[in-house]
Amino acid sequence: MTLFGEYGPAHVARHRHPAWKVLLPLDGYVRVVPDGRPPVYGRGMLVPPQLAHRPATSSGYVALFLPPWQAGRTGEPTPVPPQKVRRLLAALCVHDLRETPDLDAARAELSDLFGTRRAIDPRIGQVLNELEHARRIDHLAAGVGLSPARLRALVNEEVGVPLVQLRQWRRLGTAIAHFRESSIGTAAARAGFADQAHLTRVTRRFTGRTPTTIASSSEPCRRVPGMQL
């Protein structure tokens, strides 16, 4: 699970991300405009993986990202009930980042929100654990006894997101976590991107933002350990 926060209202360009997103404004509302469909409004919003959309919030917010296999439901953005938004914000300690998130409370709220988690092939689980730091897909495939082509096909079947996107998404999270302590170019190198331009392209595709705007206006990205839903 990854937390990302921004201090003020946001209007973000069209993008799609290979993860579930729970968008939680601190006050006010969120609007999500999917491609070719009317806008959806809510106190909070659940956005499925791979949905091309334009989000906006009327206040500062927290975005909570979870793996695409978190649930089987797909398709439409879904408003989150106001009481659940309040409980999630409280559990995640967003008003005081010095505090440790209450993982038990967050787990209960998210399990209720997502329902039953989909099981994935254990070979895919092993690959995903090693994905961010792997230099070559064929090495990952050999480690679980599959050809590279079969591994890519199995990930698409099990997860619904191409393997290369999952790796880029993991690396993007690592890069964002370094934005406050290093230059964009250094963060790109630490995260395994070819160069700063490569990081910028991936950031635009997955977030609708540039690395510079994220670094200048956001709370540091936090990965919350031990969150097994």
Side-chain angles (χ1 to χ4, degrees):
M1 181 174 73
T2 301
L3 299 178
F4 177 83
E6 191 168 13
Y7 291 114
H11 296 78
V12 182
R14 177 188 183 274
H15 63 280
R16 67 176 81 208
H17 38 68
W20 286 96
K21 177 171 67 177
V22 185
L23 196 53
L24 305 169
L26 304 184
D27 289 299
Y29 67 92
V30 56
R31 181 191 71 209
V32 170
V33 185
D35 276 6
R37 282 169 279 176
V40 182
Y41 294 85
R43 180 62 183 84
M45 195 71 63
L46 178 63
V47 182
Q50 304 295 73
L51 176 72
H53 68 288
R54 291 180 286 115
T57 64
S58 62
S59 72
Y61 68 92
V62 170
L64 177 62
F65 294 96
L66 296 102
W69 57 91
Q70 188 64 54
R73 43 191 303 194
T74 58
E76 302 295 328
T78 304
V80 178
Q83 63 272 25
K84 187 169 291 294
V85 172
R86 291 192 293 269
R87 291 197 296 262
L88 278 167
L89 291 174
L92 296 170
C93 303
V94 296
H95 295 290
D96 188 351
L97 295 180
R98 295 169 298 180
E99 297 293 326
T100 301
D102 185 339
L103 298 185
D104 288 337
R107 182 183 299 113
E109 296 296 339
L110 291 169
S111 295
D112 178 61
L113 183 64
F114 282 98
T116 303
R117 177 173 178 158
R118 287 191 288 127
I120 60 173
D121 188 304
R123 295 172 296 180
I124 300 305
Q126 179 179 328
V127 166
L128 294 173
N129 285 334
E130 302 172 0
L131 185 60
E132 181 179 340
H133 303 291
R135 291 184 175 273
R136 296 171 59 95
I137 297 298
D138 55 346
H139 292 168
L140 288 173
V144 294
L146 297 171
S147 69
R150 179 54 187 152
L151 174 61
R152 291 187 177 92
L154 189 58
V155 170
N156 275 327
E157 293 168 10
E158 295 272 329
V159 180
V161 176
L163 186 59
V164 65
Q165 289 191 24
L166 293 173
R167 180 165 64 171
Q168 290 175 339
W169 179 251
R170 291 280 186 89
R171 289 178 172 177
L172 176 59
T174 297
I176 291 174
H178 288 298
F179 281 175
R180 288 300 181 96
E181 62 188 44
S182 63
S183 68
I184 302 299
T186 299
R190 288 180 176 178
F193 288 95
D195 51 30
Q196 184 172 333
H198 184 202
L199 170 61
T200 298
R201 291 193 299 272
V202 171
T203 306
R204 285 184 181 276
R205 184 185 315 131
F206 288 158
T207 72
R209 310 284 293 273
T210 66
T212 300
T213 58
I214 291 175
S216 64
S217 63
S218 62
E219 271 299 318
C221 173
R222 291 198 296 167
R223 292 186 180 181
V224 180
M227 195 67 175
Q228 299 298 325
L229 299 175

